[in-house]
Amino acid sequence: MFAAILNCIEVVAGSAAWLGRGLSCVCVQRRDSDVSNTFDLTLAQEECLQRIQRRIDVPYDSSIIEHQDALRALWNAAFPEEELHGLISEQWKEMGWQGKDPSTDFRGGGFISLENFLFFARNFPKSFQVLLRKQEGDRSVWEYPFAVAGVNITYMLIQMLDLEAVKPRNLVGATFLKFLAENGSAFDLLYCITFKLMDHQWLTMRASYMDFNAVMKETRRQLEKELLIEDIARLEDLPSYKLLSR
């Protein structure tokens, strides 16, 4: 059944619908009023924004040793009990990649999406494994593919926070830069929170594969709401952070 789900996914690089039928990305479907003229970046915020933009600009390149090592590290974190036979292997489908070569799925999120996965696996291994193995809740027969969903979350966050602009044009993005200036790993941490929140919404909505887009919309709505809570001083104070476990 899971293989049948993967077979119906089409990857379209650079497209808002790159996740395929039923999993179209929600990141470009709404835009807040432009607030970029109402605030100035501090030097620290500007440097942090430029640093993460450099990360975003790095595509996954299977010919680069560092990228190969990172992919192997991801496998070892996900399946420490199972030896990986190769960077191109049918084994990758166990994680929810579309085919035997995960590099083709990174086109939607770049190398930063792999870094997000590794951060999640290393800092919140319990939550990572629970999501990977779908161990919580009353699961659908037609579940979302873990790995492909994770890359989509990276892409959604980049768009939601407007991180490719000279400075964010929406209030959520401007607010996030305050967290980023205080914590250089804020984007990776927000990724972990978002992934767990998405799965929570999935279970709450009793969703199935074709509901993925609706789940992502609700996840984004809730995340934006939490980021704009006035007395939130750090990402660990977000209500949805409590969903994570190490």
Side-chain angles (χ1 to χ4, degrees):
M1 182 67 71
F2 187 68
I5 295 174
L6 289 178
N7 288 336
C8 76
I9 299 175
E10 295 174 349
V11 173
V12 182
S15 166
W18 68 272
L19 254 181
R21 303 188 192 98
L23 288 87
S24 56
C25 183
V26 300
C27 21
V28 295
Q29 295 179 3
R30 53 177 297 192
R31 179 181 293 277
D32 298 326
S33 299
D34 191 335
V35 300
S36 59
N37 294 325
T38 65
F39 72 96
D40 293 315
L41 297 179
T42 66
L43 180 59
Q45 290 173 345
E46 186 173 354
E47 290 175 347
C48 288
L49 178 59
Q50 291 173 351
R51 190 175 304 121
I52 197 166
Q53 286 174 338
R54 288 193 291 270
R55 289 179 64 191
I56 291 170
D57 287 340
V58 177
Y60 179 84
D61 188 339
S62 57
S63 68
I64 297 177
I65 298 298
E66 177 190 357
H67 293 197
Q68 296 175 13
D69 290 343
L71 193 56
R72 289 191 187 92
L74 177 60
W75 176 268
N76 291 334
F79 303 107
E81 74 287 351
E82 183 178 349
E83 181 181 356
L84 179 66
H85 299 156
L87 293 181
I88 298 178
S89 169
E90 294 290 336
Q91 291 173 283
W92 287 108
K93 294 180 181 179
E94 298 175 33
M95 187 182 249
W97 300 103
Q98 296 183 88
K100 61 184 181 180
D101 184 3
S103 67
T104 61
D105 288 338
F106 282 119
R107 290 179 294 179
F111 185 63
I112 191 173
S113 58
L114 177 51
E115 292 178 318
N116 290 158
F117 271 124
L118 283 171
F119 183 91
F120 193 6
R122 290 166 174 169
N123 290 274
F124 301 96
K126 183 176 179 180
S127 286
F128 180 87
Q129 288 292 333
V130 165
L131 295 185
L132 170 64
R133 302 173 189 272
K134 308 291 174 67
Q135 292 175 333
E136 286 183 349
D138 185 13
R139 313 303 306 199
S140 168
V141 175
W142 292 70
E143 277 288 321
Y144 64 85
F146 173 80
V148 178
V151 178
N152 191 49
I153 288 172
T154 297
Y155 185 62
M156 183 271 280
L157 287 175
I158 292 170
Q159 299 301 310
M160 184 187 82
L161 301 172
D162 204 18
L163 292 178
E164 295 178 290
V166 174
K167 64 179 180 178
R169 292 161 291 187
N170 59 54
L171 189 57
V172 173
T175 300
F176 174 73
L177 286 186
K178 299 176 183 178
F179 298 123
L180 189 61
E182 296 295 327
N183 179 0
S185 299
F187 184 80
D188 303 272
L189 178 56
L190 187 61
Y191 171 89
C192 302
I193 295 170
T194 305
F195 211 143
K196 196 69 174 73
L197 174 60
M198 184 277 290
D199 190 73
H200 176 75
Q201 297 290 359
W202 177 273
L203 293 173
T204 299
M205 296 169 65
R206 296 183 178 275
S208 186
Y209 174 77
M210 296 304 290
D211 301 315
F212 187 85
N213 195 36
V215 172
M216 286 294 287
K217 285 182 179 179
E218 181 59 25
T219 301
R220 173 170 174 162
R221 186 200 66 77
Q222 179 63 28
L223 194 62
E224 289 175 328
K225 179 181 177 181
E226 292 187 16
L227 285 169
L228 295 179
I229 296 175
E230 289 187 7
D231 59 350
I232 296 295
R234 55 186 193 140
L235 291 178
E236 289 88 346
D237 297 328
L238 295 178
S240 290
Y241 178 82
K242 297 180 178 66
L243 296 172
L244 288 167
S245 55
R246 296 181 185 275

